[in-house]
Amino acid sequence: MVYAVVRAGGRQEKVEVGSVITLDRVQAAEGESIELPAVLFVDGDNVTTDADALSKVTVTAEVVSDLRGPKIVIQKYKNKTGYKKRQGHRQELTRVKVTGIK
């Protein structure tokens, strides 16, 4: 079984060929191909974590779509002072499909 752990959007994701993952927004159009930096590469019993060997590993992915995450409501309140604040946030996301690990 071949898989890799890639760094994407401040997090690390375990990916295999054909897996679809959601990342922070990537500046690429739908259908474009992007490369993700590998942190760990596993090929059967061989586990690679060496930086020099990982520089030769390329993980390519195709951008499937851009989307937005769920609405998060941020509320702050201080008792007896009349202070209250309400704010919302929706994260910009990109869904990608891994096309190759070489």
Side-chain angles (χ1 to χ4, degrees), residues 26 33 45 59 76:
V26 177
S33 181
D45 292 334
V59 178
K76 296 180 181 179

Side-chain angles (χ1 to χ4, degrees), residues 20-68:
V20 178
I21 58 172
T22 304
L23 313 173
D24 286 341
R25 182 61 58 94
V26 177
Q27 296 300 322
E30 288 186 23
E32 278 189 40
S33 181
I34 60 172
E35 286 194 11
L36 301 171
V39 177
L40 177 101
F41 176 68
V42 177
D43 185 9
D45 292 334
N46 300 330
V47 177
T48 305
T49 58
D50 183 37
D52 294 332
L54 287 174
S55 64
K56 299 172 188 170
V57 174
T58 59
V59 178
T60 57
E62 178 185 344
V63 176
V64 176
S65 64
D66 289 332
L67 61 139
R68 297 182 77 193

Side-chain angles (χ1 to χ4, degrees), residues 2-4 15-20 59-60 97-102:
V2 177
Y3 67 89
V15 297
E16 298 174 348
V17 174
S19 62
V20 178
V59 178
T60 57
K97 181 178 182 179
V98 177
T99 56
I101 300 174
K102 298 180 183 175

